[in-house]
Amino acid sequence: MTAIADRPVPDSGAPAAPPGLPHVDLLRLRERLEPAERARLDAIEDHLQTRVRPHLTRYWDAEEFAFDLLPGLAELGLGRLVLDGSSSLFQQLVHAEIARVDLSLSALVGIHNELNLGMIAGLGSERQKATWQGRLESFDALGAFCLTEPDHGSDIAGGLATTATRDGDEWVIRGAKRWIGAGTIADVALVWARDTADGEIKGFVVPTDTPGYEATKISGKMGLRIMQNADITLDVRLPTDAILPGATTFAATRALLRDSRMWVGWQGVGAQMGVLDVLRSYALRREQFGRPLAAFQLIQAQIAEVAGNLAASAGMMLQVDALRQEGRMEMMHAAMAKATSTRLARSSAALARDALGGNGLLTEHEIAKIMGDVEAIYSYEGSYGMNTLIVGRALTGVSAFV
């Protein structure tokens, strides 16, 4: 069988920014960056558009992970983005640029930085940092964040069933996790389990070669097909120092999870940038009735609506990120940003797929791939419905969860 990396690269015909036309950063957010960060963002964009994007459809179709692309991402510093001292806006715009070319890679880089590396660096012991931090920063190791369970998603905080029991000098962790990104390819898993002694949810660092850690790939997904989501079963024994010392209650992780939810809003921005890329390029080169599609009013209206959705999402995310930097972002803001941005991304992907007609059904034209991937981000980090209820509770003071 021919390796994915060796197969011919299809020509999608969709350049990053057609010459002479506005960049998809419609509100010019990158102009807010200092010159050095702006230049770095330009270099990252160029690499993603020219060295990464042309290869991704093959991996998506095959449901395989693009290991050969990781060294280039590491050279750009994307394995340690959360620790490199760059500005918050720069980091969010990088996440948007990655999502613009592929939401699976965006999920990997984002979860890697925001949850795996960020949690070990911020909440781990010195030994845990020494063991894993350097390898994670260079993408020599990948992590898996193991929270969601087969029977507990939206109610995970109260319903988490995986247990951790102290047995002499060891922890015994038993349970199951589901939808775990990179679960089959990770070198280390951050596992959340309920301590049977005090009922608190605590974090544990579990090398994936530990006996009793089993991961099975979830296949047949309509979205995030490059990301290797997995079912995890756990019946492991760990030394006592496997516990994350800064994560001995679930409250310790809430801020990170809130920030991660906000980051998914930036994924929605990036996905909409990708939609505008594909739709505009296709409309300019595809001819019907002797004219390019871009000359028809219906198509221009769809392009304008996609642009409006993108601009609304980007402006909202800019302000929410400003609140986060000021220490004033609440869960309501993160939930509203995630729900709204992904909802608009879903709407824009549907508009673009319609504009491409039958070709919109083919992954070679990319919009079918984007549309499937958007369905995933619409549902993870709290489903759309759950996030709207978080916002509703904050605005009314009344909980409508049950």
Side-chain angles (χ1 to χ4, degrees):
M1 180 179 293
T2 304
I4 291 291
D6 296 331
R7 296 177 191 171
V9 178
D11 178 13
S12 68
L21 295 178
H23 191 279
V24 291
D25 177 15
L26 298 175
L27 299 184
R28 301 179 179 178
L29 301 187
R30 61 180 58 206
E31 294 182 9
R32 295 170 174 266
L33 300 174
E34 294 296 325
E37 287 193 335
R38 196 181 313 163
R40 186 182 172 197
L41 182 62
D42 289 343
I44 290 170
E45 177 189 14
D46 180 71
H47 178 88
L48 291 169
Q49 292 291 336
T50 62
R51 305 292 296 277
V52 174
R53 179 171 172 242
H55 300 276
L56 292 169
T57 298
R58 296 171 296 160
Y59 290 99
W60 198 91
D61 286 341
E63 289 191 279
E64 294 185 14
F65 186 73
F67 285 103
D68 58 303
L69 300 180
L70 283 180
L73 300 183
E75 288 180 13
L76 292 167
L78 301 187
R80 61 182 310 273
L81 188 62
V82 73
L83 301 179
D84 68 6
S86 55
S87 69
S88 178
L89 179 59
F90 171 80
Q91 292 180 25
Q92 305 312 326
L93 291 179
V94 168
H95 287 309
E97 284 294 338
I98 302 171
R100 180 182 171 193
V101 299
D102 185 75
L103 282 165
S104 285
L105 283 186
S106 168
L108 181 92
V109 173
I111 294 170
H112 174 91
N113 278 279
E114 299 292 329
L115 296 179
N116 291 311
L117 176 61
M119 196 155 287
I120 287 177
L123 304 178
S125 67
E126 292 305 313
R127 186 189 68 81
Q128 290 164 347
K129 294 176 188 178
T131 302
W132 293 109
Q133 188 169 317
R135 294 182 61 197
L136 289 170
E137 289 182 22
S138 62
F139 282 133
D140 288 334
L142 295 176
F145 188 82
C146 302
L147 178 61
T148 302
E149 297 183 347
D151 296 322
H152 300 286
S154 299
D155 69 340
I156 191 67
L160 187 140
T162 298
T163 60
T165 302
R166 185 72 177 266
D167 183 17
D169 293 332
E170 294 181 315
W171 285 99
V172 178
I173 298 180
R174 293 191 175 98
K177 301 293 181 178
R178 184 163 173 78
W179 293 115
I180 305 306
T184 60
I185 60 177
D187 302 279
V188 61
L190 299 186
V191 175
W192 301 92
R194 193 179 300 277
D195 188 344
T196 55
D198 60 14
E200 293 285 356
I201 297 174
K202 300 177 180 181
F204 298 85
V205 178
V206 182
T208 58
D209 59 2
T210 302
Y213 175 95
E214 300 290 340
T216 303
K217 176 181 172 180
I218 299 173
S219 297
K221 297 181 297 177
M222 68 176 289
L224 293 192
R225 290 167 61 89
I226 296 175
M227 171 61 88
Q228 304 299 289
N229 292 92
D231 283 312
I232 309 292
T233 59
L234 297 149
D235 189 356
V236 301
R237 285 184 171 269
L238 303 169
T240 54
D241 62 0
I243 193 169
L244 278 164
T248 56
T249 70
F250 193 67
T253 69
R254 289 188 187 277
L256 286 170
L257 291 172
R258 181 198 61 204
D259 290 354
S260 179
R261 183 165 287 168
M262 184 272 295
W263 155 76
V264 178
W266 284 104
Q267 281 193 295
V269 171
Q272 291 175 73
M273 292 163 67
V275 169
L276 183 56
D277 275 337
V278 173
L279 175 56
R280 177 170 60 177
S281 177
Y282 186 88
L284 288 169
R285 75 177 188 274
R286 172 74 168 174
E287 290 192 0
Q288 292 288 283
F289 305 101
R291 304 167 66 193
L293 285 183
F296 292 90
Q297 291 181 0
L298 286 174
I299 301 299
Q300 286 208 5
Q302 290 175 313
I303 293 172
E305 185 170 345
V306 167
N309 288 345
L310 168 57
S313 298
M316 175 181 62
M317 294 311 306
L318 177 68
Q319 177 59 19
V320 171
D321 186 56
L323 290 174
R324 186 181 68 87
Q325 293 178 62
E326 297 167 1
R328 296 194 294 142
M329 183 183 77
E330 301 172 7
M331 184 61 83
M332 176 198 72
H333 298 116
M336 180 169 55
K338 187 271 180 185
T340 304
S341 179
T342 59
R343 172 175 59 82
L344 293 177
R346 198 181 192 215
S347 175
S348 291
L351 286 167
R353 202 231 53 81
D354 176 67
L356 267 65
N359 283 335
L361 301 174
L362 303 173
T363 53
E364 68 179 276
H365 292 279
E366 296 188 88
I367 199 63
K369 169 179 170 293
I370 298 172
M371 193 173 187
D373 287 346
V374 165
E375 286 298 309
I377 68 169
Y378 182 76
S379 295
Y380 74 18
E381 290 290 344
S383 67
Y384 177 80
M386 294 303 295
N387 277 302
T388 59
L389 292 180
I390 290 171
V391 176
R393 180 177 62 187
L395 294 175
T396 66
V398 178
S399 177
F401 279 87
V402 293

